[in-house]
């Protein structure tokens, strides 16, 4: 396996664990049972990547071919469920940090994989954003909440920004690890700043 393949796998698995933990925490807060928490963890962690792979023609998707993805998501979900009493009593601040971290890693991983498949830079950026927000959108629909991506806060926009930074730097000749790190940091900082300062996009009406 090439170094860049190892890097992509690393980003995917870390992002999977973070998003699974964030999704499972949401499931705990809405008082789902064990199966419900695991289902929400799975969808949150792997939904966006599955959609990305289907659009790229990378079938079957990585989440279906490599057991490590499913195992990572389920283990993270199980850990969160086991610690549910402490989690239910905690605030949502650390959940937002997990979400921002997962968003950043998946935005960059999605854009990186699209570049590897020779996709146009603009579409690679869009696929990075889709990878980042797809799983969370499925989660929110499942638990009957308005998806974050449709709200006015800077969420999907942060993912697109991180993906765009990675794509632009890679196309400019910057080494992939540095380009990816810059995209991750840019997305994470933007998302957390938006949460802290209550940044919003314009609202219709």
């Amino acid at each position: 396996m090439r170094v860049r393949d190892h890097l992509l796998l690393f980003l995917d698995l870390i992002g999977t664990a973070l998003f699974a933990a964030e999704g499972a925490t949401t499931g705990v807060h809405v008082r789902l049972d064990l199966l419900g928490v695991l289902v929400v963890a799975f969808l949150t962690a792997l939904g966006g990547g599955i959609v990305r792979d289907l659009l790229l023609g990378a079938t079957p998707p990585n989440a279906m071919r490599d057991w490590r993805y499913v195992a990572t998501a389920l283990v993270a979900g199980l850990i969160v469920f086991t610690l549910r009493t402490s989690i239910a009593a905690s605030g949502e601040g650390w959940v937002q940090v997990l979400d921002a971290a997962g968003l950043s890693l998946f935005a960059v991983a999605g854009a990186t994989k699209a570049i590897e498949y020779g996709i146009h830079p603009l579409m690679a950026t869009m696929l990075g954003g889709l990878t980042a927000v797809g799983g969370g959108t499925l989660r929110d629909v499942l638990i009957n909440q308005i998806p974050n991506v449709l709200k006015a806060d800077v969420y999907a926009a942060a993912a697109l920004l991180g993906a765009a930074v990675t794509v632009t730097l890679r196309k400019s000749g910057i080494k992939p690890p540095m380009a990816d790190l810059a995209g991750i940091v840019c997305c994470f900082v933007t998302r957390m700043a938006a949460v802290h300062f209550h940044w919003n996009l314009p609202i219709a009406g």
Side-chain angles (χ1 to χ4, degrees):
M1 184 181 286
R2 297 173 299 177
V3 173
R4 60 185 180 183
D5 291 332
H6 282 292
L7 178 61
L8 181 59
L9 177 63
F10 175 77
L11 292 177
D12 260 350
L13 290 178
I14 295 298
T16 296
L18 290 171
F19 258 175
E22 188 271 336
T25 301
T26 300
V28 167
H29 282 151
V30 298
R31 300 184 63 80
L32 299 181
D33 62 14
L34 173 59
L35 180 59
V37 169
L38 293 180
V39 168
V40 170
F42 177 89
L43 283 179
T44 306
L46 302 176
I50 289 173
V51 173
R52 172 202 66 199
D53 288 351
L54 290 176
L55 290 175
L56 288 174
T59 55
N62 273 347
M64 302 294 101
R65 288 189 290 110
D66 191 333
W67 64 270
R68 289 173 291 186
Y69 287 91
V70 176
T72 299
L74 295 181
V75 168
L78 187 59
I79 290 173
V80 168
F81 186 81
T82 302
L83 301 174
R84 62 189 180 279
T85 302
S86 300
I87 289 172
S90 67
E92 295 188 358
W94 76 280
V95 179
Q96 291 175 331
V97 173
L98 281 179
D99 187 56
L103 187 79
S104 305
L105 289 168
F106 270 17
V108 170
T112 298
K113 186 162 187 176
I115 291 173
E116 297 292 332
Y117 273 72
I119 303 298
H120 186 276
L122 176 60
M123 294 310 300
T125 300
M126 298 298 291
L127 281 177
L130 176 62
T131 305
V133 305
T137 300
L138 292 174
R139 173 204 64 211
D140 291 342
V141 170
L142 188 64
I143 63 176
N144 199 30
Q145 292 183 359
I146 298 176
N148 279 334
V149 67
L150 299 180
K151 295 180 181 179
D153 60 349
V154 179
Y155 188 78
L160 290 171
L161 178 61
V165 168
T166 294
V167 170
T168 300
L169 292 180
R170 277 175 170 252
K171 291 298 182 180
S172 299
I174 303 298
K175 292 183 178 180
M178 297 303 298
D180 295 348
L181 179 60
I184 290 169
V185 171
C186 185
C187 178
F188 183 81
V189 170
T190 300
R191 175 57 187 156
M192 293 308 299
V195 171
H196 181 74
F197 294 108
H198 305 290
W199 290 345
N200 292 302
L201 295 176
I203 301 174

